[in-house]
Amino acid sequence: IDGLALLKIIKHCNENKGESVSGQLLGLNVEGKLEVTNSFPGLPAEEKTDPDAFLDAMMKLLKQVNVDNNSVGWYQSAYGGEWIENDIIRTQYNFQSSIPESVVLVYDPYTTTKGNLAVKT
């Protein structure tokens, strides 16, 4: 994972402490190696916009500015190491059905404040 992509994830999760947030991972699959080069936050739960329309618009904007716009997975915040839930498993199953090489990255802001970067894939 590219450092800038990870910093964007950390920033998004820290700005929404206590809330579960998620977003997209973008990058490339190069010779069987998945490279995460960028990320962006998903829509807040209270947002009225269609999530698919939002994702399509973001991908078009990223393409216009010549940024990797291939979805390679998604990220999710979790607190206290509790992240294996039915919703996460179901979402990852759906991702892998359409993008077999996709990954989910789970970031735990609470554990990270104790001095260890808590990122799981």
Side-chain angles (χ1 to χ4, degrees):
I1 184 166
D2 186 73
L4 181 59
L6 183 59
L7 287 173
K8 287 180 178 182
I9 293 166
I10 292 170
K11 181 179 183 240
H12 180 216
C13 294
N14 286 342
E15 288 174 345
N16 296 280
K17 278 214 166 136
E19 296 177 33
S20 179
V21 296
S22 63
Q24 292 290 307
L25 299 175
L26 306 172
L28 304 165
N29 186 350
V30 179
E31 298 176 8
K33 180 181 175 188
L34 194 63
E35 296 180 10
V36 178
T37 58
N38 203 353
S39 64
F40 65 86
L43 279 172
E46 65 274 0
E47 188 71 35
K48 302 286 189 232
T49 307
D50 175 32
D52 292 331
F54 170 77
L55 185 59
D56 290 342
M58 282 297 293
M59 294 300 195
K60 286 177 186 173
L61 291 171
L62 290 168
K63 188 174 185 177
Q64 288 176 358
V65 294
N66 202 26
V67 173
D68 289 336
N69 63 340
N70 301 317
S71 181
V72 295
W74 60 292
Y75 68 87
Q76 176 75 43
S77 64
Y79 292 89
E82 297 181 21
W83 61 274
I84 298 183
E85 298 175 354
N86 285 339
D87 288 342
I88 291 176
I89 293 169
R90 189 176 308 112
T91 303
Q92 182 58 18
Y93 175 80
N94 291 335
F95 256 88
Q96 285 186 323
S97 295
S98 59
I99 307 167
E101 299 86 12
S102 67
V103 296
V104 60
L105 187 141
V106 180
Y107 171 70
D108 186 343
Y110 176 73
T111 303
T112 299
T113 61
K114 295 180 180 180
N116 294 321
L117 180 61
V119 177
K120 307 271 188 223
T121 56

